[in-house]
Amino acid sequence: MKKIIICALFSAFFISCNNPEEGTKNLQLATKVQPLVDPAQAKVEQWSAYRALEQNIRTISNTNALNSISLQERMVRNVSAMSKQIPKELRTKNVIAQIARINEKVERFYKEIDEEEMHERVVDRHLREIIEAFDDLNKEINHAVIKHM
């Protein structure tokens, strides 16, 4: 009986090591953004503001939420430029709406989070909203390109 209890304790210990506590598991954002299909990649290749925001998203996904606060101004500039530089082939109502949605999320992030923010969950929530909006933009770009093939 004693051996069974010891084995159960060791098992519980090893299982708990594989499941980090709630407070530490979100240190790095796990992001999954819809990749662009090859024809869509070709359409956005010269869209510098899209590429810059895409790089911001990659940077965000490779750092913890609090470190990403320094990207706020760049994201605002990139989204603003994106809406002005939409390639003609992608200038659909849905793509424009998704860019406006990203702009709304980035502006809210910029207004509600300052450089002194210490609550990672608050920052994390805003970043996830931005990433989800970017994911939706990629889906719309793919749809627009495939529709016109």
Side-chain angles (χ1 to χ4, degrees):
M1 183 68 164
K2 192 175 185 180
K3 288 182 182 179
I4 293 173
I5 293 173
I6 291 173
C7 286
L9 287 173
F10 277 122
S11 296
F13 174 75
F14 287 118
I15 290 171
S16 69
C17 288
N18 288 330
N19 297 321
E21 292 179 21
E22 185 68 31
T24 61
K25 73 178 182 181
N26 287 329
L27 283 179
Q28 195 166 10
L29 291 167
T31 59
K32 292 187 179 179
V33 174
Q34 174 81 32
L36 294 175
V37 295
D38 289 339
Q41 279 284 5
K43 301 286 185 199
V44 301
E45 197 162 305
Q46 300 303 315
W47 192 5
S48 61
Y50 172 89
R51 290 295 182 198
L53 184 63
E54 181 181 47
Q55 184 59 44
N56 293 152
I57 299 293
R58 276 195 200 114
T59 302
I60 287 169
S61 68
N62 290 322
T63 188
N64 75 41
L66 293 176
N67 288 340
S68 66
I69 293 173
S70 64
L71 296 173
Q72 286 177 318
E73 280 189 47
R74 278 188 263 168
M75 286 193 296
V76 169
R77 283 193 311 265
N78 293 335
V79 174
S80 176
M82 263 177 59
S83 62
K84 297 172 187 168
Q85 303 172 358
I86 304 171
K88 187 176 182 180
E89 306 85 14
L90 300 176
R91 206 173 294 140
T92 67
K93 185 173 106 176
N94 291 337
V95 169
I96 292 168
Q98 287 303 325
I99 293 170
R101 184 170 164 241
I102 293 171
N103 188 47
E104 172 191 318
K105 302 293 183 189
V106 169
E107 282 182 0
R108 196 159 88 218
F109 176 54
Y110 191 72
K111 287 177 185 172
E112 294 179 13
I113 306 296
D114 62 18
E115 291 186 14
E116 303 300 317
E117 180 64 56
M118 297 305 293
H119 299 288
E120 184 176 0
R121 286 188 191 140
V122 174
V123 177
D124 184 71
R125 178 178 45 87
H126 281 282
L127 294 175
R128 289 185 189 284
E129 289 176 0
I130 293 168
I131 292 167
E132 287 172 13
F134 187 77
D135 177 59
D136 291 341
L137 172 64
N138 278 0
K139 289 174 185 172
E140 286 302 329
I141 290 172
N142 284 337
H143 180 73
V145 169
I146 290 170
K147 185 178 176 181
H148 290 92
M149 287 179 75

